[in-house]
Every structure is written in C-alpha cells, then in structure tokens.
Amino acid sequence: MSLRFARWAALACLPLLLAGCGGAVRVDPPVPEGAAAAACKALGGRLPKTLDGVDRVESSPASPYVAVWGQARIALRCGVTRPSTMAATDEVPEINGVAWFNDPARPALFTAIGRQAYVEVTISREHVPGNVLVDLSGPIKAALPQTG
C-alpha cells in the first residue's frame, strides 16, 4: 500500500473513527496529572463555542480534557503524551505564540508543544488547519504556561 493511499484512507476514515451515530461523540480522553491536569481544565473554559464555522458538541465519555466541534470534524485532547514521531531537530512552526508540531505520518494531527501540557488537535479535511490553529492558539497560550 502506498504512503499516499494510506494517508488518504486515514483522513477519509477520521470522522467515522471519532464520531458516534448521533448524540455525544466518542473520543478517548487523556489522563493528565498535576499541573498539566489543572492547566487543561483551565483551557476547557477558554475554548470557543464555535470553531471554523462548526459548533462545539458533547463528547463521550465526558471529560474536561476533551473538546469536539462539528461531530468530530475537529477534536482537541489536552494532556496527551509527547508526540512519539517528534525529533529534537524538527522545525516546528509557531502560530500566535504557540508551537504546533504536525505529525508527518498523520497529516490531520497537530500538537501544541512547549507548554505545561501537550494539546493534540485532529482536523478533518473540511477545515483549513491554519484557521483552526489560529483560533485555538489564543486560549492555549492563555491557559497553558510555556515551558523551557
């Protein structure tokens, strides 16, 4: 299977993997601890109700560390582990003061790094990642102190 086809298939299946058949959207919540957990809870209260034209919806199981917009078209998880594919030498673009790592193996996955907690955002093809990341950078910058 070619890498191009694998990426296309992953993107095409993303909404099906994250979305349920109505009601709350199923997203596995991370389990941050200590200062990361407190910062992620603070982030939850700062997140927009509408993101790139879609409304925020309920997730299942309910978690202060997860936010979903538009039936999993955009899903955020705060307090995830460091991206395993990120190397110390990777160049990471910064958007409004927040560094975003884009996993080359999973082009729909972006992770805010260099903060008190890692914040993972999955963005479906219907949305422009730059628009979403711009709108999320402000709340992340305000709620999650920068590290090192």
Side-chain angles (χ1 to χ4, degrees), residues 108-134:
L109 179 67
F110 299 83
T111 306
I113 62 170
R115 299 274 157 189
Q116 195 161 35
Y118 291 102
V119 180
E120 178 183 276
V121 180
T122 306
I123 306 169
S124 72
R125 293 173 19 161
E126 292 91 17
H127 297 279
V128 177
N131 295 343
V132 173
L133 300 179
V134 163

Side-chain angles (χ1 to χ4, degrees), residues 19-142:
C21 296
V25 176
R26 172 94 176 121
V27 177
D28 291 329
V31 187
E33 297 179 355
C40 287
K41 285 180 184 175
L43 174 62
R46 295 176 181 268
L47 294 171
K49 297 198 184 313
T50 301
L51 188 58
D52 204 33
V54 290
D55 292 330
R56 190 167 170 179
V57 297
E58 295 295 319
S59 64
S60 173
S63 171
Y65 312 123
V66 172
V68 179
W69 293 265
Q71 293 302 312
R73 300 293 185 214
I74 303 167
L76 177 148
R77 298 179 342 121
C78 185
V80 297
T81 59
R82 180 185 188 279
S84 61
T85 58
M86 187 173 69
T89 57
D90 284 340
E91 289 188 32
V92 179
E94 198 171 282
I95 298 174
N96 291 345
V98 176
W100 289 97
F101 173 73
N102 182 209
D103 189 331
R106 297 170 59 193
L109 179 67
F110 299 83
T111 306
I113 62 170
R115 299 274 157 189
Q116 195 161 35
Y118 291 102
V119 180
E120 178 183 276
V121 180
T122 306
I123 306 169
S124 72
R125 293 173 19 161
E126 292 91 17
H127 297 279
V128 177
N131 295 343
V132 173
L133 300 179
V134 163
D135 289 345
L136 291 175
S137 290
I140 289 171
K141 189 175 176 179

